[in-house]
Structures are given as structure tokens and as C-alpha cells.
Amino acid sequence: MSISSGSSMCGDEDGDLLLDEEEEIDFYAILNVPKDATDDEIIKAYRKRCLMFHPDRFTDNDEKKDAERVFVKLRRAHEVLLDPKQRAIYDALGVQGLDTQGWELVSRSANPENIRKEYEFLQRLKERELMLQRVHPTSTFMIKTTVAGMFQENEEDRYPPQLLGISLSQSVDCAFTGVDRFGLSGRVKTGNGRGDGSVSAVWKRVAGNVNLENTVSLSADSVSLTCRAARNVFTRAAVIVQPQLQYNMLHEAFIPSIALIYSMKLHPRWQGSIVLNISPIANALTTTMVHTENNHAKAVGSLTLSPVNSNVRLVYFIRKPENDAVTEMSVQMTTYGINPAIIMDRRLSRYSRLSCSFHFSFPSCLLYTKFKLKAGQSTFDWQIVLCDDKEALSRSVLYGVAIPYFTFQLAKMIFRPWWERFKMMFEDNSREQEVDVAKKEEAANIVNLMRATAERIKRDEESKNGVIIESARYGQCDISGTRAYPLAGERTIDVTVPLQAMVNDSQLRVYTVKSQLPGFYDPCPGDPKMLTVRYFFRGEEHSCTVADEMPLMIPLRGEIDAKPLVNVNIFTAHRLTNEKT
């Protein structure tokens, strides 16, 4: 029986069906093709799946609905992988790069309890997301201390750590209409025996192609009104005009100023801007060039000309996507000296980041470090002054920077298991580590759909002494100890029927991660996994074990003359890498 891609057998009559969920779908696994598959291979695999899962092949209503769900995924995979543009987006970003589904509840299970749990989870997620979108609450707590007195050479000059100041700021920003937003922010601080604070109100409005922002700020010694208007003038350029009027209560005088900004995209990876500040106190002209890489800043250079303080600033970023870490190195050269700095920022958990920075000023020899913890919308900032005296600089660097750094690295190496356990305290993997009940139920339904095809293929293979799957288990892999061969863990599932249904012309080829294959699901999220298959080929029994990320090719080379029960373990050459890393 031949099928053309334009026939109804391939599902053109089902165009109104929608995917239940597109968050974690592997289109290559659904069609069981390698990631470098050609269009012909994709079409061939799609037609083969159509024969197995087309809804018209089933008479039972429940089986027809299960087949429709699988069939829609097949059609989606077929459409995306045959479109070069969509395929490129999918390979880079996954399904989320192709479509944004919103917050609709989608029933992935026939179990009412599962539907209720999914509904409650999505409702909580939706309510929190809407709250954050509407209010944007942020808070920052900063504390400034000094330990410079501890590093003085003369014992009589040393003094204990001191608290220099504390500040706390909070802000909210919410939408009133589709084009209007209103925000409030406040800040209080104390230092050197006196307190200070300020409060600001912001009104933002989108008026056609112009973004307007008006801010009123009130502090102990001044009141200011700032207006900001931004507009795109060309496809790649924008102009910003920002006038300000400030009233100084101490001098009882008005101080007007204006900032003119022109920003333009000079190249796909280069952005430039010119800023002109005009005020009675001092004028300044700043030009900035930004080099981007993957939509992130890679290098920044700026030049400021001003009668008060002309300066040059250079910044370079090093990003490590595997750790979600960023290292920022900068240097600012002014008429008064040079200020180098290094900032190391990395992901601590899903919702938090931790950064550590060192800042130095020469010739004043001011050295301080800053620790910043950002958790959700809250930021905690701790600044520690290490040195404020040229005579104590070397001791401050040795005892305040070098020794603590190497001590920390040594402690991480010695107490590595405890360190990893400590980091896991910040991770929220509870949902990922739970077996998706809906996917488990869906896999069971797909296995029932594949059973008839598997039995037919098994009979055909028996008649010609081909590949007959005796048993197949997929799941947890135990790689503890020094064994050359890993053992199957406790959490595994039976995948005999899906693999038998995938046998074609006495060959079984599986190219991708197994958990996305039809009839499979992940029984142990977060743990290493393997697939063990016992099968007969030409009347002889064989066994094969492969890691989850490795392809499966049955029969193996050399099995034409194989002896009974040849156990081949692919892990001998390739140890299974821990998927948690």
C-alpha cells in the first residue's frame, strides 16, 4: 500500500486539530529520524507512522482519540522539519521558539485527579505571572561595611570592622490602561550618623510611535521633574529627549538641564549611541559602542568629554552558558586616575543569582568587594571596604582577597560532596523529578495502539528469522562503584511493544533520546538512563545495552556469525555521562 503526502491518509482532513502540549516535544524522536535526516528520510518516516497511527484505522472511540493526539504531533513534526526556516528555529530554540501557547489549561489526561492538579498548578502560575506583569514589585537592601582597619601593619592602628551605612529601596509599577502605567519608588538610607531618603512617582504612556515617561522625585534637599520622550526615527535608529527641572531647596534655585540621545544599530552586531547633556553646572558629550553576540553585550566602549571629568570606559564580557555564568571585566580611565573592576555573576538556582565583584581606584588605593544576591525580584547587596590606605594595600590584597579566595577553592575541593549538596538546597527540582502522570498514561495508550502492529511485525520477522524483541527495559541506570558495566536501576519501564513495532526489514534503528519515542516516557527524571534489549536474530539470542543519548542499531555488526546470547554493552567504550551535570 503506497501513501502520498497529499492524501487524506496523511491527515489533511484533520487540519483543525491542535497539539495538546508543545513544551517538551522532540520532533526527531516522534518520527525516529536522526537530527541530520534528509527530507526524503523524514517523509518516509512520516508515512510509516501514518500507517500505524492514523485515526481511521481504529473503531473504538477512546483509541481513535488517542490516535488523533499522536497523529497531530506527527503532522506538526512533519511540517516543521520539512520547512528549513522552522527547522532552524526548532533546532536552536525548541518548540517554544515556534509558538507561544499562553496559559490555557490543556487536558493531557483522562484522569480527573490529574486534570484538577494541572488546573490548580496552572492557576497558581497564572495568578503569580499576572501579578508580576501588572505590579513589577522590586526591592533592594544594601549594607556597607569596612574591614580596612584589620589590615593595618601597626597593631595600635588596627580597629574592628565597622558599619558605614544601610539603604533600602522598593518600587512597584502597574498598568492602568493598555497604554498607561504608573509606578512608585522609595529609598531610605543612613550613614555617618545621618539619614536620608527620596520618593518618586512615574507615569509612562505609549502615544503612537512615541514612548513618554514623566517622573517627579522628592528628597530632603531637592524636588525634580523629569520628562522623557523616545521615538524610532528610522528602522534601526531612535531619538530620546529628556529635559529636567530641579529645584534646590538649600540654594533656593532652579537648575534646568536636558539630555539628547541618538542611538543607532550600525551592524547586526554593533550598536552605537551619542548622548549630549546640557546643564548650567557642566556639559558633557558621551559616545558609546556596543558589540553584541547572541543578543548579549560582548564588549562596550565609551568616551565622555566634560570639563568636570572626562573619561574612557572599556568593558568586556565572558559568558559560560553551561553554568549560566557571566564575567565582566571593566576599566575606567579618568583625569583623576584609573578604576579597574571585575564582576563574576552566575546562576545559583532557578530563581536566584549570586555575584562577587572587586573594585579598585588608583591613586587613592581604594579597594572594595561587593557581594550581590538576587532572588526573584529582591536584591541583597553587601559592600565591604578592604583598603583605603596606600600603606596597607599589599596586606589588604593578601589577607582580604588572595587568602580567602584560595581557601574557598580548597574547601570546595575537599568538601565537594557537601558543596554539591549545599547547592542542591537552592534548586527547586521537585516538579522535574516527579514522573509526569499524564505522559505515563499517554504512553500506555500509545502502546495499546501499537500492539497490533507489533504483533504483525513479530510474525513477519519470525517467518524469516529476523529481529524479534524478546524483552526491552528503559529507565534508571546505576553507574555507582567501579563496575565496567552499569546496572539497571529500580525505576524502569517495559518498552518491548514499541521497539517491536519500530522494526523494519529485520532492522531496528533508534537515533535520539529514547524518552520522546512513541510509547516511551521518562520513569526517572534527572537520573542517568539506559536501554537494555534482549532479542533474537537468525534464531540466536542477543543482548544490547546503550546509554540514553547514544543511538541503537540492531542487529549489531558481526551478529551474522554470533554465538548464542552475545551480550554487547556499549558502555564499555562510552561511559554514561551524568545527566544532572
Side-chain angles (χ1 to χ4, degrees):
M1 183 184 200
S2 63
I3 304 173
S4 65
S5 61
S7 67
S8 62
M9 187 66 177
C10 287
D12 285 347
E13 296 176 355
D14 303 318
D16 57 337
L17 292 175
L18 298 177
L19 284 179
D20 287 346
E21 184 183 37
E22 289 192 337
E23 290 184 356
E24 298 178 357
I25 296 178
D26 188 337
F27 289 155
Y28 295 100
I30 291 174
L31 297 176
N32 191 27
V33 295
K35 292 187 180 295
D36 58 352
T38 63
D39 290 354
D40 291 339
E41 291 173 337
I42 293 172
I43 293 174
K44 182 178 178 181
Y46 172 62
R47 291 174 177 175
K48 184 178 179 181
R49 288 290 190 271
C50 285
L51 288 173
M52 188 182 304
F53 292 108
H54 197 282
D56 293 344
R57 296 186 65 252
F58 304 94
T59 57
D60 183 79
N61 290 334
D62 293 336
E63 292 182 349
K64 187 181 288 292
K65 290 180 180 179
D66 294 334
E68 286 177 352
R69 294 191 183 98
V70 180
F71 192 71
V72 170
K73 294 180 181 180
L74 291 174
R75 290 207 47 204
R76 179 64 166 154
H78 175 258
E79 293 172 358
V80 170
L81 298 185
L82 287 184
D83 187 320
K85 184 177 180 179
Q86 292 193 62
R87 185 174 181 176
I89 296 174
Y90 171 75
D91 289 341
L93 303 174
V95 180
Q96 294 182 352
L98 298 171
D99 192 18
T100 303
Q101 294 294 331
W103 293 103
E104 295 84 359
L105 172 68
V106 180
S107 175
R108 300 177 297 159
S109 170
N111 189 323
E113 182 67 16
N114 296 336
I115 296 176
R116 183 185 63 81
K117 290 181 179 179
E118 185 72 10
Y119 174 78
E120 292 177 352
F121 171 74
L122 288 179
Q123 281 295 104
R124 292 194 300 269
L125 205 60
K126 179 181 178 180
E127 290 173 0
R128 177 171 177 79
E129 182 71 14
L130 289 176
M131 185 272 290
L132 293 177
Q133 288 180 355
R134 294 176 179 176
V135 181
H136 291 288
T138 61
S139 64
T140 302
F141 177 79
M142 188 179 73
I143 181 172
K144 185 176 181 180
T145 60
T146 178
V147 295
M150 300 176 61
F151 305 128
Q152 296 294 326
E153 184 174 1
N154 298 324
E155 186 175 353
E156 58 272 13
D157 294 334
R158 298 174 188 170
Y159 54 88
Q162 295 180 349
L163 177 64
L164 300 181
I166 296 176
S167 69
L168 175 65
S169 60
Q170 289 186 321
S171 65
V172 292
D173 182 6
C174 57
F176 277 89
T177 65
V179 296
D180 293 287
R181 298 188 67 89
F182 184 76
L184 286 174
S185 63
R187 181 172 181 264
V188 293
K189 64 177 181 178
T190 178
N192 298 324
R194 65 185 297 267
D196 194 6
S198 63
V199 62
S200 300
V202 183
W203 172 48
K204 302 176 183 178
R205 181 179 178 84
V206 180
N209 297 326
V210 180
N211 293 327
L212 301 176
E213 182 176 324
N214 302 304
T215 305
V216 178
S217 299
L218 175 64
S219 63
D221 52 8
S222 66
V223 179
S224 65
L225 171 63
T226 305
C227 299
R228 178 186 176 97
R231 175 186 171 86
N232 290 330
V233 291
F234 303 109
T235 305
R236 299 181 299 173
V239 173
I240 301 174
V241 179
Q242 183 173 307
Q244 182 185 59
L245 181 61
Q246 181 180 7
Y247 178 72
N248 190 301
M249 299 180 184
L250 183 63
H251 299 88
E252 297 182 350
F254 287 97
I255 306 175
S257 64
I258 186 171
L260 304 175
I261 305 172
Y262 180 76
S263 179
M264 184 174 182
K265 192 171 185 179
L266 307 173
H267 186 269
R269 293 187 177 182
W270 287 94
Q271 180 86 18
S273 65
I274 298 177
V275 181
L276 176 62
N277 288 286
I278 303 174
S279 71
I281 300 177
N283 300 327
L285 177 65
T286 302
T287 178
T288 304
M289 294 289 292
V290 180
H291 176 60
T292 62
E293 186 176 90
N294 297 326
N295 293 326
H296 293 286
K298 182 68 175 179
V300 179
S302 65
L303 170 64
T304 300
L305 301 177
S306 171
V308 177
N309 185 17
S310 298
N311 63 82
V312 176
R313 186 169 185 265
L314 303 175
V315 187
Y316 185 75
F317 298 88
I318 300 176
R319 302 181 186 275
K320 296 182 179 179
E322 63 275 11
N323 299 325
D324 196 4
V326 181
T327 301
E328 175 185 336
M329 296 174 289
S330 66
V331 59
Q332 185 175 22
M333 294 166 284
T334 71
T335 54
Y336 302 104
I338 183 171
N339 305 305
I342 182 171
I343 303 174
M344 296 161 287
D345 180 277
R346 66 165 295 161
R347 175 180 177 270
L348 184 63
S349 69
R350 183 188 303 180
Y351 303 110
S352 60
R353 300 189 66 86
L354 179 66
S355 68
C356 175
S357 61
F358 292 93
H359 305 259
F360 180 67
S361 297
F362 181 82
S364 64
C365 293
L366 175 64
L367 174 65
Y368 67 92
T369 183
K370 184 183 295 185
F371 296 94
K372 180 183 292 185
L373 174 63
K374 185 175 183 180
Q377 303 294 323
S378 301
T379 302
F380 303 88
D381 205 330
W382 183 18
Q383 181 177 326
I384 306 173
V385 178
L386 300 175
C387 178
D388 56 8
D389 183 8
K390 182 179 181 180
E391 301 296 331
L393 179 60
S394 58
R395 294 175 59 86
S396 299
V397 173
L398 177 62
Y399 295 108
V401 180
I403 292 180
Y405 174 78
F406 288 109
T407 302
F408 174 70
Q409 295 298 330
L410 182 62
K412 281 176 58 178
M413 295 174 58
I414 297 176
F415 304 103
R416 190 170 188 84
W418 289 274
W419 172 251
E420 296 295 335
R421 194 176 305 170
F422 172 75
K423 290 197 301 182
M424 290 297 295
M425 294 172 56
F426 297 92
E427 295 287 350
D428 182 17
N429 297 324
S430 56
R431 185 165 180 85
E432 284 78 4
Q433 293 175 353
E434 295 179 358
V435 176
D436 195 320
V437 179
K439 291 184 178 179
K440 179 179 179 180
E441 182 179 328
E442 180 184 9
N445 295 335
I446 293 176
V447 169
N448 290 331
L449 299 178
M450 302 175 75
R451 197 174 301 278
T453 301
E455 293 175 354
R456 176 181 57 80
I457 293 177
K458 184 177 181 179
R459 290 193 299 268
D460 294 341
E461 293 296 319
E462 288 175 344
S463 64
K464 55 185 178 183
N465 274 339
V467 174
I468 303 168
I469 307 298
E470 179 69 15
S471 66
R473 304 289 303 184
Y474 171 72
Q476 191 178 27
C477 172
D478 183 6
I479 57 175
S480 59
T482 58
R483 297 185 302 271
Y485 299 96
L487 300 177
E490 297 180 355
R491 292 184 290 174
T492 61
I493 58 174
D494 185 1
V495 292
T496 305
V497 172
L499 289 185
Q500 185 66 70
M502 294 167 60
V503 173
N504 181 33
D505 195 20
S506 297
Q507 291 184 341
L508 176 61
R509 301 289 185 262
V510 179
Y511 300 99
T512 56
V513 175
K514 320 299 183 296
S515 61
Q516 294 284 343
L517 293 170
F520 283 62
Y521 69 93
D522 191 347
C524 52
D527 291 340
K529 287 173 278 291
M530 69 180 189
L531 173 63
T532 301
V533 184
R534 297 175 63 90
Y535 62 97
F536 285 92
F537 178 64
R538 296 190 174 180
E540 305 293 347
E541 187 175 8
H542 305 272
S543 177
C544 179
T545 301
V546 296
D548 193 28
E549 67 275 7
M550 295 179 62
L552 172 66
M553 306 292 182
I554 290 178
L556 302 175
R557 292 181 179 179
E559 287 186 349
I560 296 178
D561 301 324
K563 296 180 180 180
L565 193 55
V566 176
N567 192 331
V568 180
N569 196 305
I570 308 297
F571 288 98
T572 305
H574 301 276
R575 290 286 296 183
L576 179 66
T577 56
N578 193 329
E579 292 182 356
K580 294 180 181 178
T581 303

